[in-house]
Amino acid sequence: MGVKLVNPFGSCKIENIAFGIHKLEKWILRQGLKLEYKTISATEVEKQFKQKWGIDVWCKDSEYRYVDYETLKEIDKRMWVHRLQYVSQYLDCDDFSGFYKALLNLYFGINACWMVVGEVHSLSTGKFQGYHQWNAVYAGDIYLKEPQTEIPPVNGLEMREIDWRYKPLFISDREVSREILRKFAEVKV
């Protein structure tokens, strides 16, 4: 009687193998983490963004799942988005921000993450550096996450390590088209 091998990926179709690798990656990234989820309502999130950053947030979910800040810092160490190669116009800040949000939910079950569009200014000179997209993550408070760096989420709108002060202009939990952003900017002006 021969040994029967079992393929853990199902059939050998490429999509089944890729999904099997995804499941393995998720399992590896979660090793040793104690994920104790808490929830916060969209109404409370909106109130906290208004109080802390002075801006409205666009919440499409009615409830958001999050973890405490220490767990978030450990999760952030395991994220690999910052290792991607930046390519202007093709794989840039908006892509990094979208990937970070998506992977935080996909691998760790946390949807309390938003994409933020705004301005960045030099902390040392105050000079406008340009428009940028980054993340805001809720972990008992609102934290700024620069997904293109290994810097853990920070409480506030400054990153001294990269000499930037952030000025959020638009915050959403879903990707937003340029047309909607344009209309939003027209209404705000």
Side-chain angles (χ1 to χ4, degrees):
M1 186 164 162
V3 176
K4 183 177 179 184
L5 297 176
V6 177
N7 180 350
F9 303 117
S11 74
C12 285
K13 289 182 178 179
I14 195 75
E15 64 271 15
N16 290 337
I17 294 170
F19 187 66
I21 292 169
H22 154 72
K23 286 170 59 174
L24 179 61
E25 183 178 24
K26 181 177 178 178
W27 179 80
I28 291 168
L29 289 171
R30 286 173 162 235
Q31 282 302 297
L33 285 177
K34 189 173 181 184
L35 296 173
E36 294 180 7
Y37 299 112
K38 301 170 188 168
T39 59
I40 185 170
S41 71
T43 305
E44 184 61 27
V45 166
E46 291 164 352
K47 185 171 99 179
Q48 289 197 31
F49 268 102
K50 193 67 166 175
Q51 287 174 347
K52 185 158 186 158
W53 287 5
I55 188 167
D56 293 323
V57 61
W58 208 14
C59 291
K60 294 189 194 98
D61 292 326
S62 60
E63 189 173 89
Y64 292 89
R65 186 160 52 173
Y66 67 96
V67 293
D68 63 76
Y69 181 67
E70 291 304 314
T71 305
L72 177 63
K73 281 196 321 190
E74 183 57 40
I75 287 169
D76 190 68
K77 288 180 195 174
R78 298 169 186 218
M79 294 288 268
W80 45 260
V81 174
H82 65 277
R83 295 183 182 158
L84 298 171
Q85 174 89 30
Y86 177 92
V87 181
S88 180
Q89 303 302 314
Y90 299 100
L91 186 59
D92 53 12
C93 63
D94 57 297
D95 301 301
F96 279 77
S97 176
F99 294 156
Y100 189 87
K101 181 195 175 2
L103 294 176
L104 194 60
N105 198 342
L106 182 66
Y107 290 135
F108 301 101
I110 298 166
N111 70 331
C113 184
W114 294 265
M115 293 168 290
V116 185
V117 176
E119 300 174 359
V120 289
H121 299 261
S122 168
L123 270 172
S124 54
T125 67
K127 186 176 177 181
F128 175 73
Q129 301 295 301
Y131 292 98
H132 187 54
Q133 186 167 320
W134 64 92
N135 296 99
V137 184
Y138 187 82
D141 199 355
I142 298 166
Y143 293 89
L144 179 151
K145 173 58 188 169
E146 177 55 66
Q148 293 176 238
T149 72
E150 292 181 69
I151 301 167
V154 298
N155 194 336
L157 289 171
E158 295 180 355
M159 282 214 168
R160 298 195 183 289
E161 298 88 342
I162 56 177
D163 191 44
W164 277 4
R165 175 183 302 276
Y166 296 75
K167 181 181 177 188
L169 300 174
F170 186 81
I171 305 173
S172 176
D173 62 358
R174 296 287 187 275
E175 202 59 48
V176 179
S177 72
R178 285 187 176 174
E179 291 73 31
I180 292 175
L181 276 175
R182 231 179 262 118
K183 288 179 183 176
F184 177 80
E186 288 169 8
V187 170
K188 287 292 211 183
V189 174

